[in-house]
């Protein structure tokens, strides 16, 4: 009797338990954010700062109850600055690690390679650093978004700065891949629009990404005697370049120098006083340029957590996590297609102010910040920025590329 009674009630209870516990167990599973950044080599600091920005946002959100009652969790992969590696990492994150959403990318070349693969993965990807216009242009798709400044936006600002300097004859030194070449291409376009008599020199320099010796390129520019030089080197390459340029007297030649992403705190922290004064630096975000409560809190919390001011890569990663939170809540679930659709046209509050992902191409309407290097900031141990100019994304972003068909 006991055996008979035990079988039937327990079976019923087991079935009831399976149905009643499944939703609770599902609700307890974290929402997984898969990220791909450069975590090794000369640009590894960029990945480190992005990881910290992500973690700060995740900690904030989890402490306030998570998203749809679930906690957020991060899975980070090293893209190594290589498209093939990043594609493999994205597939691993989706198929093996069960990531609900994806973010990252430091290299424009990697972004060009990965973006066309994203629709097959069916998960929205927010780019927080890579700046090639192609991923929100001719390579755009319904799963690729960007919350950071692209080359069009940054070079429009750079051209305005350059035109105001009065320098007419310009050349460039940039990495020999999409970012370097597109930076010069769009800078040339916008400078000619603002300054028709500007001379764009045919003598340009595009060292390979990761080059160690920039002396031949430094010497070549000095011999050609330009009025201005646009430099789009970044990361460890930019640090090495500045040190070698200092030893050659490059910054004492009298020409205007614009470092397109020179105000990355990763670079400024590495260089300290070796970054010369009077040089124009661009950045996607400058922690001292935005007088709003959210930015003040973000900067204070970041400094408290990590002992350094946030870089633009940290801010971009922080914003992407919050954008996913808003999109998932808007969608009401973590279905990839639903979250991607919720990101389209989404506006959120960011440290830079209200940020909108434009419906036509999924590009954030955001402008760069430019400033000239001044005295050392003794508290933060980096060069201060003077004559800071923040460009309005609504005004500086060009229309949707006709090649983008969402």
């Amino acid at each position: 009797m006991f055996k008979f009674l035990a079988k039937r009630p327990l079976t019923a209870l087991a079935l009831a338990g399976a149905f009643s516990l499944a939703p609770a167990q599902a609700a307890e599973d974290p929402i997984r954010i898969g990220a791909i950044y450069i975590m090794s080599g000369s640009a590894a600091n960029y990945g480190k700062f992005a990881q910290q920005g992500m973690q700060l946002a995740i900690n904030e959100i989890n402490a306030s109850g998570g998203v749809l009652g679930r906690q957020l969790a991060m899975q980070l992969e090293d893209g190594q600055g290589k498209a093939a590696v990043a594609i493999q990492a994205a597939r691993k994150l989706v198929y093996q690690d069960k990531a609900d959403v994806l973010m990252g990318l430091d290299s424009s070349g990697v972004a060009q390679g990965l973006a066309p693969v994203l629709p097959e993965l069916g998960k929205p990807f927010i780019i927080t650093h890579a700046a090639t216009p192609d991923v929100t242009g001719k390579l755009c798709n319904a799963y690729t978004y960007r919350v950071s400044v692209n080359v069009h936006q940054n070079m429009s600002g750079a051209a305005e700065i350059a035109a105001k300097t009065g320098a007419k004859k310009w050349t460039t030194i940039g990495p020999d891949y999409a970012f370097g070449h597109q930076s010069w291409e769009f800078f040339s376009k916008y400078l000619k629009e603002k300054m028709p008599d500007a001379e764009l020199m045919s003598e340009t320099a595009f060292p390979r990404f990761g080059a160690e010796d920039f002396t031949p390129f430094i010497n070549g520019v000095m011999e050609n005697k330009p009025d201005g030089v646009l430099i789009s080197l970044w990361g460890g390459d930019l640090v090495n370049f500045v040190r070698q340029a200092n030893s050659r007297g490059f910054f004492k030649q009298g020409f205007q120098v614009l470092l397109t992403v020179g105000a990355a705190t990763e670079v400024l922290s590495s260089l300290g006083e070796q970054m010369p004064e009077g040089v124009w630096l661009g950045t996607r975000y400058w922690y001292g340029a935005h007088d709003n409560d959210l930015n003040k809190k973000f900067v204070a919390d970041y400094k408290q957590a990590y002992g350094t001011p946030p870089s633009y890569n940290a801010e971009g990663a922080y914003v992407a996590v919050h954008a996913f939170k808003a999109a998932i809540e808007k969608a009401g679930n973590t279905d990839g297609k639903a979250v991607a659709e919720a990101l389209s046209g989404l506006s959120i509050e960011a440290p830079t102010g209200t940020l909108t992902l434009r419906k036509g191409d999924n590009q954030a309407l955001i402008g760069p910040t430019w400033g000239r290097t001044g005295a050392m900031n003794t508290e933060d141990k980096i060069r201060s920025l003077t004559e800071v100019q923040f460009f309005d994304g609504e005004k500086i972003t060009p229309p949707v590329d006709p090649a983008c068909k969402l």
Side-chain angles (χ1 to χ4, degrees), residues 294-306:
L294 179 54
N295 187 56
K296 291 174 183 175
K297 182 180 185 304
F298 169 62
V299 173
D301 290 349
Y302 193 93
K303 285 185 176 183
Q304 182 177 5
Y306 305 112

Side-chain angles (χ1 to χ4, degrees), residues 81-121:
K82 300 174 182 177
V85 174
I87 291 169
Q88 182 179 13
R91 287 180 171 141
K92 173 185 177 293
L93 286 167
V94 171
Y95 298 129
Q96 180 176 320
D97 300 321
K98 307 301 180 184
D100 296 293
V101 294
L102 301 168
M103 59 181 281
L105 302 189
D106 297 297
S107 164
S108 289
V110 172
Q112 288 173 321
L114 180 57
V117 178
L118 296 176
E120 79 176 54
L121 300 181

Side-chain angles (χ1 to χ4, degrees), residues 40-59:
S40 57
S42 64
N45 252 1
Y46 285 76
K48 174 185 173 183
F49 272 71
Q51 181 181 15
Q52 292 173 347
M54 283 185 69
Q55 194 62 62
L56 188 67
I58 288 172
N59 291 347

Side-chain angles (χ1 to χ4, degrees), residues 177-225:
Y177 72 103
F179 180 63
H181 289 280
Q182 289 182 331
S183 293
W184 179 240
E185 176 188 350
F186 294 120
F187 174 79
S188 301
K189 173 183 181 293
Y190 291 121
L191 182 60
K192 273 293 191 180
E193 290 176 0
K194 301 174 190 298
M195 191 179 185
D197 60 344
E199 179 184 344
L200 302 165
M201 300 172 65
S202 59
E203 298 86 357
T204 55
F206 293 99
R208 67 174 178 82
F209 182 66
E212 296 179 357
D213 184 10
F214 294 95
T215 303
F217 308 102
I218 293 167
N219 291 342
V221 170
M222 291 169 62
E223 289 167 5
N224 289 321
K225 301 185 184 304

Side-chain angles (χ1 to χ4, degrees), residues 96-345:
Q96 180 176 320
D97 300 321
K98 307 301 180 184
D100 296 293
V101 294
L102 301 168
M103 59 181 281
L105 302 189
D106 297 297
S107 164
S108 289
V110 172
Q112 288 173 321
L114 180 57
V117 178
L118 296 176
E120 79 176 54
L121 300 181
K123 304 294 182 182
F125 195 114
I126 295 181
I127 294 172
T128 66
H129 184 190
T132 175
D134 295 348
V135 294
T136 49
K138 64 183 180 182
L139 298 178
C140 77
N141 60 67
Y143 290 90
T144 303
Y145 291 78
R146 177 163 43 211
V147 295
S148 56
V149 173
N150 68 25
V151 171
H152 267 300
Q153 295 161 322
N154 197 20
M155 290 305 96
S156 181
E160 187 167 323
I161 296 290
K164 289 178 180 177
T165 68
K168 289 189 176 181
K169 188 166 69 170
W170 285 85
T171 188
T172 192
I173 302 177
D176 190 16
Y177 72 103
F179 180 63
H181 289 280
Q182 289 182 331
S183 293
W184 179 240
E185 176 188 350
F186 294 120
F187 174 79
S188 301
K189 173 183 181 293
Y190 291 121
L191 182 60
K192 273 293 191 180
E193 290 176 0
K194 301 174 190 298
M195 191 179 185
D197 60 344
E199 179 184 344
L200 302 165
M201 300 172 65
S202 59
E203 298 86 357
T204 55
F206 293 99
R208 67 174 178 82
F209 182 66
E212 296 179 357
D213 184 10
F214 294 95
T215 303
F217 308 102
I218 293 167
N219 291 342
V221 170
M222 291 169 62
E223 289 167 5
N224 289 321
K225 301 185 184 304
D227 298 325
V229 188
L230 180 84
I231 300 172
S232 55
L233 301 172
W234 62 281
D237 285 10
L238 182 54
V239 171
N240 290 335
F241 170 85
V242 170
R243 288 171 176 163
Q244 293 170 31
N246 280 334
S247 69
R248 301 293 299 161
F250 180 87
F251 296 103
K252 298 179 180 179
Q253 301 301 304
F255 40 66
Q256 297 289 328
V257 177
L258 274 65
L259 305 180
T260 67
V261 284
T265 54
E266 297 95 336
V267 168
L268 294 174
S269 297
S270 296
L271 287 170
E273 292 183 355
Q274 292 178 306
M275 176 63 80
E277 289 192 58
V279 176
W280 283 102
L281 306 183
T283 180
R284 282 82 188 250
Y285 159 84
W286 181 249
Y287 67 98
H290 306 282
D291 186 17
N292 62 66
D293 291 341
L294 179 54
N295 187 56
K296 291 174 183 175
K297 182 180 185 304
F298 169 62
V299 173
D301 290 349
Y302 193 93
K303 285 185 176 183
Q304 182 177 5
Y306 305 112
T308 185
S311 71
Y312 66 73
N313 216 23
E315 189 266 350
Y318 175 88
V319 169
V321 173
H322 279 281
F324 278 134
K325 174 183 184 294
I328 291 169
E329 289 175 340
K330 180 180 176 182
N333 58 64
T334 58
D335 174 73
K337 183 178 180 182
V339 176
E341 290 175 350
L343 283 169
S344 180

